[in-house]
Amino acid sequence: MQRAANEVMQSIIFSAVLDAVAALKAASGGLPNQLLRDVQAIHPNVTLGDLPKQLQDAIAESTRTAFTQLLKEGYAVGPRQQMQATRPMDRVPDRQRPGGDRRGPPGDRRPRGPRGDPNGKGPGDGPGRGPRGPGGGPSRPRKPPKGKPRLG
């Protein structure tokens, strides 16, 4: 029975995290202060080269294991262009609509305005439409201009 992709990925990530923690412990040599320093050195901008050697090896092994496990579960893993070209068509084929096309022949169709409105109105033209409330104007009053008022 094939497992869902979500379950497979959770299993892979859980194993990778456990392997990484074990590698950090091994890299500290059993010294709690060194383990704490190694953990505190991990931040969003850390690179693979900044990590201890044991942790780098654990990450590489976890990556290989993850790809192997995905393939064993029946998921395809590869470059995007290659996977899109070889993926089978999984859509439902287009089918004939009963009674023909309800919109009528192309010559009978009325021209439509913006956003496909059959009345030819654009967004905000009707009452109560659009994100700015009824009337389509600003939702708050304008501030008076700064500086000296112009006379004339």
Side-chain angles (χ1 to χ4, degrees):
M1 180 175 161
Q2 189 176 14
R3 294 190 304 166
N6 190 28
E7 292 176 16
V8 174
M9 287 307 297
Q10 283 179 351
S11 172
I12 289 170
I13 291 172
F14 183 72
S15 297
V17 169
L18 290 179
D19 292 344
V21 170
L24 277 171
K25 284 183 178 179
S28 70
L31 301 172
N33 288 342
Q34 184 61 39
L35 176 62
L36 184 62
R37 277 190 222 109
D38 288 343
V39 170
Q40 287 178 339
I42 299 172
H43 53 82
N45 294 329
V46 72
T47 63
L48 187 65
D50 296 335
L51 300 173
K53 179 73 172 127
Q54 289 89 343
L55 184 55
Q56 291 177 20
D57 295 341
I59 291 172
E61 182 62 30
S62 293
T63 305
R64 282 191 293 273
T65 304
F67 280 111
T68 303
Q69 190 171 352
L70 283 170
L71 291 172
K72 281 183 183 177
E73 291 290 332
Y75 292 97
V77 180
R80 179 180 292 194
Q81 293 83 8
Q82 180 183 359
M83 299 313 296
Q84 287 176 346
T86 60
R87 189 171 67 183
M89 190 64 118
D90 57 352
R91 295 186 318 176
V92 176
D94 292 336
R95 53 193 162 111
Q96 293 293 330
R97 297 176 188 220
D101 192 2
R102 294 181 187 166
R103 296 179 294 179
D108 290 349
R109 292 191 195 138
R110 292 183 291 165
R112 294 181 175 261
R115 292 194 178 188
D117 186 6
N119 297 325
K121 291 186 175 184
D125 287 345
R129 295 182 70 193
R132 296 187 178 190
S139 59
R140 57 183 169 177
R142 293 179 124 188
K143 291 183 180 179
K146 295 183 179 180
K148 292 183 180 180
R150 285 195 260 172
L151 298 176

